[in-house]
């Protein structure tokens, strides 16, 4: 079996071959060799799955170094969505948000955030909505203030439905920071208030309070 696994299977199946080889080496007690192989698989794919398979073979004392290696590779990865998913997994939420904003993947981010919510990946969805909202406000993109207001209320909805967003900043702190940084973006706050009124009327027709 080892000879079969050590032979080339061709480019199409090389990843599968190496994954099976690493499993076999681990079962044979050759954990260090298996870990090295899984590390190379992870560095090639940057997938959360491969990262977890790699660190499960490492002693606890080696986890911080593996974490930092994964962190640095993610920061220079060419696909911001793949990188952000890994950064969230290793609790580097701020870098995940920065990676997504710098990647300019605006068209795909709202759909990704909704998909994460569907799968109950609350923290990941929050990072995406915060990244989208921050980017619109930082660029003073008034045309997109309606979208930004929707993200503002979506973040409120997420916060109301979960106990914690750790390691992200609590929603109240994030909201306060946005208010402090953008007090003069009147168009945005008007959109926030208008959406808040629509939400209030939809949930309670007698309620007329607005978002201050």
């Amino acid at each position: 079996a080892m000879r079969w696994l050590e032979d080339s299977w061709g480019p199409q199946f090389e990843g599968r071959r190496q994954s099976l080889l690493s499993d076999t080496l681990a079962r044979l007690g050759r954990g260090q060799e298996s870990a090295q192989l899984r590390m190379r698989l992870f560095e090639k794919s940057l997938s959360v799955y491969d990262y977890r398979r790699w660190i499960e073979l490492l002693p606890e004392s080696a986890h911080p170094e593996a974490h930092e290696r994964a962190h640095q590779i993610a920061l220079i990865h060419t696909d911001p969505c793949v990188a952000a998913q890994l950064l969230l997994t290793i609790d580097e939420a701020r870098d995940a948000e920065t990676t997504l904003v710098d990647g300019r993947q605006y068209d795909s981010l709202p759909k990704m955030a909704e998909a994460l919510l569907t799968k109950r990946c609350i923290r990941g969805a929050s990072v995406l909505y915060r990244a989208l909202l921050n980017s619109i406000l930082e660029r003073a993109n008034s045309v997109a203030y309606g979208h930004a207001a929707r993200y503002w209320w979506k973040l409120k909805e997420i916060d109301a439905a979960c106990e914690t967003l750790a390691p992200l900043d609590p929603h109240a702190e994030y909201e306060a920071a946005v208010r402090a940084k953008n007090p003069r973006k009147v168009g945005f706050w008007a959109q926030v208030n208008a959406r808040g009124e629509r939400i209030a009327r939809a949930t309670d027709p007698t309620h007329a309070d607005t978002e201050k």
Side-chain angles (χ1 to χ4, degrees), residues 12 23 25 30-31 33-34 44 76 104 119 129-131 139 152 157 173 175 186-187 191 195 199 202:
Q12 184 178 359
D23 292 346
L25 289 170
R30 297 161 64 177
E33 294 174 70
S34 179
K44 185 175 181 180
I76 61 173
R104 298 295 189 264
K119 296 180 180 180
Y129 284 126
R130 289 184 184 188
R139 291 179 291 132
W152 173 274
E157 179 184 329
E173 292 183 14
E175 189 175 286
V186 178
Q191 292 277 3
R195 180 168 286 271
I199 292 172

Side-chain angles (χ1 to χ4, degrees), residues 61-207:
S61 60
H63 284 194
E65 183 178 351
H67 175 115
E68 184 56 28
R69 187 182 187 92
H71 185 196
Q72 294 304 317
I73 293 173
L75 291 178
I76 61 173
H77 194 64
T78 56
D79 187 328
C81 294
V82 171
Q85 186 174 8
L86 177 64
L87 289 166
L88 282 173
T89 298
I90 62 175
D91 292 336
E92 298 289 351
R94 292 186 184 277
D95 282 335
E97 181 177 351
T98 300
T99 296
L100 289 167
V101 173
D102 289 348
R104 298 295 189 264
Q105 302 265 326
Y106 301 124
D107 292 342
S108 64
L109 295 189
K111 291 182 180 179
M112 187 184 303
E114 289 296 333
L116 288 171
L117 279 181
T118 300
K119 296 180 180 180
R120 301 298 301 165
C121 298
I122 303 300
R123 186 177 55 170
S126 295
V127 165
L128 294 181
Y129 284 126
R130 289 184 184 188
L132 286 161
L133 176 56
N134 292 345
S135 178
I136 291 170
L137 294 179
E138 286 168 6
R139 291 179 291 132
N141 184 3
S142 59
V143 175
Y145 280 170
H147 295 295
R150 181 162 59 85
Y151 304 145
W152 173 274
W153 285 99
K154 180 63 74 171
L155 286 165
K156 279 182 170 292
E157 179 184 329
I158 291 172
D159 178 62
C162 69
E163 293 183 1
T164 179
L165 291 171
L168 300 181
D169 291 338
H171 176 72
E173 292 183 14
Y174 170 75
E175 189 175 286
V178 172
R179 289 183 181 279
K181 190 175 181 180
N182 303 279
R184 297 184 179 180
K185 290 188 170 66
V186 178
F188 167 65
W189 295 115
Q191 292 277 3
V192 168
N193 291 339
R195 180 168 286 271
E197 290 175 4
R198 292 196 296 272
I199 292 172
R201 285 196 298 268
T203 55
D204 181 0
T206 66
H207 184 69

